[in-house]
Amino acid sequence: MIKNIVFDMGNVLVNYDDRIVCRRFIKDEKELELVRTAVFVSPEWIMLDMGVISDEEALKSMQSRLPDDHAREMAALCMNHWHEYCMDGIEEMVNVIKELKDQGYGIYLCSNASMRLLQCYKQVIPGIEYFDGVLFSAEVKCIKPQKEIYLHLFERFKLKPEECFFIDDLQRNIDGAKACGMEGYCHKDGNVESLKKVLRGLQNK
């Protein structure tokens, strides 16, 4: 019997677009793509999600790949302010979460995210007041789809994997959850009505 619903954050509860912060500070398209790649499409970004590097260390390494002082300055601005611009809560999800809570489900979050999110997640995640627990990858130094992060989730909140249902926008993360005994649904298309239909079907499981 499913008793708990576990949500991913990015592109499930919030829209995420790293180009927004880049456009806020950078006008030249070529420089924008250089900076965006150096910062957001980088091994350091993954290391931040894993909690194994500081923001300062990551930025220094990111800047080392950029060609001039101006680009490096733009990288610093994007790195320091991305959390203010890049995440936009999906308000349709508030009612989804509230209905689940009213039906008696436990509500949890399991997201690949850096320590920065600990400072601001309550301001960006819709329906956060209904959540029973939040786990960010950087806290436990592993990321989805590694099995360790799911095991941390179960252990921290005293959950049984067979009683949990996971919603993520990436199939590989759903596959990782299934390997640990937690079924799930890939919310790749972002269609909230389709998600609601899947969730209604859980009442018979």
Side-chain angles (χ1 to χ4, degrees):
M1 181 179 178
I2 300 298
K3 298 181 179 180
N4 307 290
I5 310 298
V6 183
F7 288 91
D8 175 38
M9 183 174 64
N11 298 318
V12 174
L13 299 177
V14 304
N15 293 311
Y16 174 82
D17 184 354
D18 52 43
R19 285 185 171 85
I20 294 175
V21 72
C22 295
R23 292 193 182 105
R24 174 68 178 79
F25 297 111
I26 307 169
K27 304 306 178 187
D28 181 80
E29 282 296 323
K30 183 177 179 181
E31 184 180 57
L32 186 151
E33 284 304 320
L34 280 174
V35 170
R36 176 181 170 270
T37 300
V39 175
F40 299 108
V41 189
S42 69
E44 293 84 12
W45 196 254
I46 296 172
M47 293 167 72
L48 286 166
D49 279 356
M50 294 186 72
V52 297
I53 191 173
S54 69
D55 281 11
E56 294 76 18
E57 291 169 323
L59 177 59
K60 184 176 180 180
S61 183
M62 293 165 176
Q63 288 175 318
S64 71
R65 291 192 292 273
L66 292 168
D68 55 57
D69 287 344
H70 188 266
R72 289 187 282 272
E73 179 185 351
M74 295 301 101
L77 285 171
C78 291
M79 180 67 179
N80 292 333
H81 295 282
W82 68 266
H83 61 289
E84 300 169 15
Y85 296 97
C86 295
M87 294 177 291
D88 178 37
I90 301 171
E91 290 305 314
E92 289 177 277
M93 294 301 294
V94 175
N95 288 336
V96 174
I97 294 163
K98 185 179 185 301
E99 287 177 12
L100 291 169
K101 192 68 176 176
D102 289 344
Q103 291 166 18
Y105 289 103
I107 309 294
Y108 296 90
L109 180 79
C110 182
S111 177
N112 286 351
S114 67
M115 295 301 288
R116 180 84 60 90
L117 268 295
L118 287 173
Q119 305 169 19
C120 64
Y121 75 90
K122 291 182 180 179
Q123 286 74 52
V124 299
I125 296 176
I128 190 62
E129 65 270 25
Y130 301 113
F131 279 72
D132 296 286
V134 171
L135 178 67
F136 290 124
S137 58
E139 298 179 80
V140 291
K141 293 183 168 49
C142 53
I143 59 175
K144 299 177 294 184
Q146 293 176 308
K147 67 178 182 180
E148 288 82 5
I149 191 168
Y150 305 106
L151 299 180
H152 277 293
L153 174 76
F154 305 143
E155 181 179 1
R156 176 178 291 192
F157 302 116
K158 305 296 187 286
L159 304 176
K160 296 179 180 179
E162 66 272 16
E163 294 179 350
C164 298
F165 190 80
F166 184 44
I167 300 161
D168 197 290
D169 65 314
L170 297 176
Q171 186 61 47
R172 64 176 178 270
N173 293 339
I174 299 297
D175 293 341
K178 287 182 177 180
C180 295
M182 176 169 60
E183 291 297 318
Y185 169 71
C186 184
H187 186 55
K188 183 178 180 180
D189 63 3
N191 188 311
V192 175
E193 291 305 315
S194 295
L195 174 61
K196 287 179 180 179
K197 185 176 180 180
V198 169
L199 292 169
R200 285 194 293 270
L202 296 180
Q203 296 174 1
N204 301 319
K205 292 187 179 183

